[in-house]
Amino acid sequence: MSYEKVSQAKEIIVGTKQAVKALKNGHVLEVVIAEDADPKVIAKVVQTAKDLDVTVHKVDSMKKLGKSCGIDVGAAAVAIIQ
């Protein structure tokens, strides 16, 4: 479900640092994180999303999430932009 949402989104931001930056700027509708990502890596994204009351969806695989974004490597976090 969330993989499809990511692949169909008009604009996404891939990566934890960029996702946090976009969250702080108020541009994010929702965040998708991979459950197999290192918890330390995604912790800041999850906390920032919670602080700003942005929905966080979880998917099982970084590799599949990266593929949904159209990249050949795994993605720990993806922000879907307004």
Side-chain angles (χ1 to χ4, degrees), residues 3 6-7 12-15 32 62-79:
Y3 293 120
V6 169
S7 61
I12 58 171
I13 292 181
V14 182
V32 181
M62 285 178 61
K63 192 163 186 83
K64 288 182 194 172
L65 186 56
K67 192 167 262 189
S68 302
C69 298
I71 59 175
D72 294 329
V73 294
V78 175

Side-chain angles (χ1 to χ4, degrees), residues 14-15 20 22 27 30 32 34 55 70 72 74:
V14 182
V20 169
H27 299 300
E30 53 192 287
V32 181
T55 306
D72 294 329

